[in-house]
Amino acid sequence: MVNKNVTKILIGFVHELPEKLGKTVLIGDREVAVFKLSSGRIRAIENRCPHKGGVLSEGIVSGEFVFCPMHDWKICLDDGKVQEPDKGCVKSYQTAIEGEEVYLIIEE
Ligand code: FES
């Protein structure tokens, strides 16, 4: 069995996160794009597009997807997968909401 280190980091409060707009969160040298969807769910993915490094927190959110602001690649906010016809993946992170507090869960 592989033991994973799990870190839980407070990244903000539900009411502060604008709906369908990304927020960039810096955790050490890691940049994470955090989104509050219209459903109220929170999603977090690596902030750099695998195509040419577009900043995903500046992308347009539609449903469970974000469109990269540079060349419009469509990336799933659930699992970080780039949608066809493009290919690739960004890291996705789990989040947790406790009351008003939003946490990022990092497992490694
Ligand atoms: S950099 Fe994201 S689609 Fe090109």
Side-chain angles (χ1 to χ4, degrees):
M1 199 173 103
V2 180
N3 279 331
K4 284 188 173 178
N5 272 335
V6 178
T7 312
K8 188 173 152 189
I9 299 165
L10 179 65
I11 54 169
F13 299 89
V14 174
H15 71 271
E16 315 176 324
L17 291 174
E19 204 170 279
K20 296 174 73 175
L21 288 178
K23 173 181 170 174
T24 300
V25 176
L26 278 177
I27 294 163
D29 56 3
R30 192 189 309 248
E31 226 180 89
V32 178
V34 178
F35 301 90
K36 180 162 81 178
L37 308 183
S38 43
S39 62
R41 283 180 290 188
I42 309 279
R43 293 287 182 264
I45 58 172
E46 183 185 339
N47 201 21
R48 293 291 164 175
C49 178
H51 180 216
K52 293 192 175 170
V55 179
L56 296 175
S57 62
E58 295 172 4
I60 305 284
V61 175
S62 174
E64 294 276 338
F65 300 93
V66 64
F67 289 84
C68 177
M70 284 186 68
H71 315 96
D72 217 28
W73 279 21
K74 183 180 183 184
I75 298 173
C76 178
L77 292 170
D78 263 337
D79 58 12
K81 283 210 177 93
V82 174
Q83 304 299 292
E84 299 280 345
D86 304 305
K87 291 193 182 353
C89 196
V90 292
K91 185 168 175 47
S92 60
Y93 297 92
Q94 285 187 40
T95 56
I97 301 176
E98 291 178 13
E100 265 292 304
E101 297 170 343
V102 180
Y103 291 90
L104 188 71
I105 313 286
I106 296 180
E107 289 181 38
E108 39 199 18

